[in-house]
Amino acid sequence: MTRFNAWNVIKNGLNDQTGWDRQWRDPEPKKEYEIVIVGGGIHGLATSYYLAKNFNIKNIAVLEKGWIGGGNAGRNTTIIRSNYMMPGSHQFYEHSLKLWENLSHDLNYNVMFSQRAHVSLFHSPPARDVAARRYNIMKLHGTDAELWDINKLKKNIPYLNYHNARFPILGAAVQNRAGNARHDAVVWGYARAADQLGVDILQNCEVTNILRTNSNIDGLETTRGIIKAKKIGFAVAGNTSRLWEMTGLGNLPIESHKLQAFVTESIKPLIDQVIVYGVGGAHFYISQSDKGSLVFGGDLDWYKSYAQRGNLPIVQDCAEAAMAILPCLGRIRIVRHWAGVCDMSMDGTFFICNTPIKNLFLNAGWNYGGFKAGPASGWYFADLIANEQPNQIIKNHNLERFEKGINLDERGAGPDPKLHG
Ligand SMILES: Cc1cc2nc3c(=O)[nH]c(=O)nc-3n(C[C@H](O)[C@H](O)[C@H](O)COP(=O)(O)OP(=O)(O)OC[C@H]3O[C@@H](n4cnc5c(N)ncnc54)[C@H](O)[C@@H]3O)c2cc1C
């Protein structure tokens, strides 16, 4: 594999770009692997990479029903942050952010991680107090966190609707190390790096049935034949319940909801941060891509579905939310929108855990927020699969938390997936 470095870029520039190798192989499936990960999104690919890199396991495959990154990994609005408060969550997301900070070097692939700050607006004194509590706790844990008063906010982001907003803007909670990355690049970077370590990435390989004896999965029926494995990991995001049904294990505390993203025509540089707000039923987040498009999103579509497309009420909802805070966008044109299927858990928190089947491991429940979690998710899921027991940091992120009533409800929104982000 040709490495990306200044010398190779110059050499290939003079060479008609003929000296680059394929980015990853297209192998035929083997009959058996040590470990099979189902799902070629950021979580599945990162898991395979850290299994190979951190545990030196050679015989691994990632099975993807379509093309890698065709699911949520390539459909999200790319916001990366670690502004979490609950024990377990803040260590996990901070670890993820630290991995992001070195990811381009680690993968030898430019994932275009841009630490441009995540600015979360507040609109009332109680909302400011809630933000202050969370951001002070983050500081106590060593995570960067700031509160901006209205003057600092106006200085940094002068074009918000300060004069005429239905919900007046009072300030913002800010994480400066947060930002965006290019989602395709992250998928390709992990795929390339995993492939280099010997991982077989099998695209167009859908798992259609699971061959199970009582306490073990013996093999997976796929559209490319039966594939056996000693250990199996599910990392299929919005399709988790479908795969789970094939195991015969009953129901999961997960619902599949769709979330839309929107992209506008390109404009000159305007939005230099990720701006977020949620008040009065509206929920809105926006940033500007390197190509100049504004990328934004809002709430779920409010009904369960496996369709990767959204409906018009949310288009209107997001447009209204945009206009409430950024009326300067009134005449901009939306050129694309799509939806991804999110695996919404009942407390808004993820699962990286063992399952009732000894050789099956689960990675799911990422809600709106699994892109930023990708690196740490891969790291801890690999650790779980290799050691067969969870690391201390994720030990409460299991299925039993619902039986025991110890949910990890970061937002305190209760057992309603629609209310969790
Ligand atoms: C519109 C939108 C905006 C979002 N914005 C953000 C954001 O700003 N920040 C953030 O942190 N998170 C965000 N998210 C959430 C984030 O994208 C997801 O939580 C995360 O990508 C899910 O993990 P994944 O990448 O592994 O999933 P996916 O990319 O969905 O990967 C799962 C893969 O499994 C494959 N699969 C499914 N069934 C099978 C099968 N039977 N056999 C083989 N393969 C199968 C699918 O084809 C898919 O490629 C957003 C999500 C959406 C939809």
Side-chain angles (χ1 to χ4, degrees), residues 38-45 63-81 180 187 205-208 235-240 242-243 246 258-261 285 308 338-343 363 366-373:
V38 187
I42 183 172
H43 293 256
L45 291 164
L63 275 43
E64 166 52 49
K65 74 172 173 181
W67 64 95
I68 57 165
N72 292 346
R75 290 167 184 268
N76 62 75
T77 42
T78 76
I79 302 170
I80 295 163
R81 56 187 167 87
N180 298 94
V187 168
C205 186
E206 178 173 2
V207 173
T208 50
V236 292
N239 284 287
T240 306
R242 284 174 158 170
L243 260 285
M246 294 180 203
K258 51 201 190 165
L259 180 67
Q260 298 190 49
Y285 35 93
Q308 288 182 318
W338 60 81
V341 185
C342 292
D343 38 337
N363 177 316
W366 293 104
N367 298 276
Y368 286 12
F371 180 66
K372 62 178 173 291

Side-chain angles (χ1 to χ4, degrees), residues 121 123 157-167 169 267 270-271 275 277 284 286 294 318-333:
L121 307 178
H123 306 261
I157 314 181
Y159 46 81
L160 297 180
N161 187 3
Y162 294 109
H163 309 295
N164 195 24
R166 179 161 176 213
F167 298 100
I169 302 168
I267 55 170
L270 172 73
I271 299 183
I275 302 174
Y277 88 97
F284 185 70
I286 188 164
L294 303 183
C318 285
E320 284 171 359
M323 287 301 290
I325 291 296
L326 290 150
C328 60
L329 301 184
R331 297 171 77 88
I332 201 163
R333 276 174 290 211

Side-chain angles (χ1 to χ4, degrees), residues 12 46 86 128 134 137 143 160-161 168 243 251 324 400:
N12 280 288
M86 299 284 279
R128 182 195 53 212
R134 171 180 290 261
I137 290 175
T143 301
L160 297 180
N161 187 3
L243 260 285
N251 293 329
E400 292 82 51

